[in-house]
């Protein structure tokens, strides 16, 4: 679950298409500006990463305007949890050090949208889609318990707040003192916010 209401989700679902980058011939024809150059530039190499099975990029396209609203990359991951963190998620009896996860590697929202496409919530909607992918993995027989992310604080200090409002918590086992680039976070896909 995200902080979006059911009507927010339905409204977004009715106005967008989620495409794999493999379905797009040339992503460069989309005007996209997240206001962070690193994220804008990633789109230029995302197809290569897709083809190499390093990460899979998904594009959120507005149905009426054909604007690229947001994108995210997903890849396999695992997460190490402290005993306290395992207790929090009711998995303290699991003897493994690493728990399977789905990583959101890149998540960016277009800050330069038309008035028709402007709407808050596209980033949260993408996280809901990542959660749906995680459930799909479980349905086809690939275990996945968490969604993980390295919340980028190099460019935006409030990024962890965005993830927290979407149900993510900081990973204590990966906590680094004086982190300057990212903060490791996770969300249990089986827990509601």
């Amino acid at each position: 679950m995200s902080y979006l209401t059911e009507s927010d989700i339905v409204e977004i679902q009715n106005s967008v298409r989620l495409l794999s980058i493999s379905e797009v011939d040339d992503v460069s024809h989309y005007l996209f500006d997240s206001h962070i150059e690193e994220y804008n530039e990633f789109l230029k190499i995302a197809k290569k990463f897709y083809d190499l099975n390093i990460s899979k990029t998904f594009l959120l396209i507005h149905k009426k305007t054909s604007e690229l609203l947001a994108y995210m990359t997903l890849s396999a991951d695992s997460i190490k949890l402290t005993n306290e963190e395992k207790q929090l998620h009711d998995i303290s009896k699991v003897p493994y050090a690493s728990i399977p996860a789905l990583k959101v590697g890149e998540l960016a929202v277009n800050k330069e949208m038309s008035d028709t496409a402007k709407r808050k919530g596209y980033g949260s909607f993408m996280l809901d889609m990542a959660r749906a992918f995680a459930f799909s993995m479980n349905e086809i027989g690939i275990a996945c318990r968490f969604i993980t992310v390295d919340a980028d604080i190099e460019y935006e200090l409030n990024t962890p707040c965005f993830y927290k409002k979407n149900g993510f918590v900081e990973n204590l086992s990966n906590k680094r003192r004086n982190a300057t680039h990212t903060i490791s976070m996770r969300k249990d896909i089986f827990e509601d916010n």
Side-chain angles (χ1 to χ4, degrees):
M1 291 293 262
S2 75
Y3 82 97
L4 295 174
T5 66
E6 189 173 324
S7 65
D8 288 337
I9 293 170
V10 169
E11 183 180 341
I12 292 172
Q13 282 176 329
N14 289 335
S15 66
V16 301
R17 293 178 297 143
L18 186 68
L19 299 176
S20 164
I21 199 165
S22 66
E23 299 175 75
V24 176
D25 290 330
D26 183 10
V27 75
S28 68
H29 79 272
Y30 289 108
L31 298 175
F32 185 84
D33 186 0
S34 67
H35 292 179
I36 299 172
E37 194 58 31
E38 180 180 322
Y39 293 102
N40 299 340
E41 290 295 314
F42 178 81
L43 277 175
K44 295 177 183 175
I45 60 169
K47 182 93 165 66
K48 290 178 187 172
F49 281 40
Y50 186 95
D51 293 341
L52 293 170
N53 287 308
I54 302 301
S55 63
K56 301 296 184 179
T57 300
F58 296 90
L59 310 173
L60 192 65
I61 309 293
H62 195 276
K63 287 180 182 176
K64 288 184 182 174
T65 66
S66 296
E67 292 172 81
L68 174 54
L69 305 172
Y71 75 85
M72 73 174 165
T73 65
L74 300 176
S75 60
D77 197 13
S78 66
I79 183 171
K80 292 184 180 184
L81 300 178
T82 65
N83 289 333
E84 293 80 18
E85 289 172 315
K86 282 183 175 182
Q87 287 175 354
L88 177 68
H89 297 289
D90 199 27
I91 56 174
S92 58
K93 293 182 180 177
V94 174
Y96 308 118
S98 294
I99 308 296
L102 178 66
K103 184 169 199 91
V104 175
E106 304 276 346
L107 174 61
V109 175
N110 193 348
K111 304 292 185 189
E112 303 296 328
M113 294 181 233
S114 68
D115 288 340
T116 303
K118 262 194 184 144
R119 168 169 175 56
K120 295 193 183 231
Y122 292 128
S124 295
F125 182 79
M126 294 298 272
L127 292 175
D128 286 346
M129 293 297 93
R131 185 173 184 235
F133 279 113
F135 277 115
S136 295
M137 289 171 62
N138 283 310
E139 288 173 12
I140 64 169
I142 302 168
C144 182
R145 179 64 188 247
F146 292 95
I147 300 171
T148 59
V149 67
D150 293 330
D152 192 336
I153 58 172
E154 181 176 7
Y155 302 108
E156 178 60 55
L157 290 175
N158 290 331
T159 303
C161 295
F162 163 74
Y163 287 107
K164 284 178 183 176
K165 78 179 179 180
N166 282 285
F168 284 73
V169 295
E170 194 171 337
N171 295 321
L172 299 178
S173 59
N174 290 359
K175 189 171 183 138
R176 287 176 251 133
R177 292 184 196 172
N178 304 322
T180 58
H181 299 292
T182 62
I183 295 176
S184 178
M185 301 182 81
R186 73 179 181 282
K187 177 177 181 160
D188 187 335
I189 66 168
F190 296 105
E191 291 179 2
D192 293 332
N193 292 356

